[in-house]
Amino acid sequence: MVVREFRVNEGCEKDFELVFAPGGVWSELLQPRSEGYLGTELHLVSLADRRYRVFDYWKSHHEFELFRGLYQQDVEQFRKWLASKDFSRQETLLGSFYVGESDGDEDAGLVQA
């Protein structure tokens, strides 16, 4: 699972939700490109601060890294498109977490930002 937090600009909440909701633009980018992608959840953390968390679920760390290696350019294009829409003013990677993939290395399930 990869977790990011966004601070959304006032008046852009609905548009932002359409991008990151299940079946939204973000899911449509990931789904056809990776069998390892399990889906995305969007949670409103604070209505007053317009703070959202996006949870991307993957079968494994390996599947995520494979996707990232093959489609980094597509993800960068998406990020540029999202920035051009000016929906959010801040994105923070909160972490990457994987269960049951340790080979003895305690950092084996973590992805560098």
Side-chain angles (χ1 to χ4, degrees), residues 42-105:
L42 176 65
H43 298 275
L44 176 62
V45 177
S46 171
L47 182 61
D49 294 333
R50 295 176 308 282
R51 204 163 29 107
Y52 289 81
R53 288 199 179 148
V54 175
F55 296 79
D56 294 325
Y57 294 95
W58 295 87
K59 284 183 185 176
S60 68
H61 171 75
H62 173 76
E63 292 285 341
F64 171 71
E65 288 296 334
L66 182 61
F67 170 83
R68 198 163 79 161
L70 292 172
Y71 298 105
Q72 188 63 35
Q73 189 173 13
D74 293 343
V75 171
E76 289 304 318
Q77 282 184 303
F78 170 81
R79 289 182 183 280
K80 288 178 185 176
W81 173 82
L82 187 63
S84 77
K85 298 296 182 187
D86 202 29
F87 294 151
S88 63
R89 64 184 180 277
Q90 181 181 4
E91 176 184 356
T92 305
L93 175 66
L94 298 180
S96 301
F97 311 93
Y98 298 90
V99 178
E101 292 193 5
S102 178
D103 61 358
D105 179 1

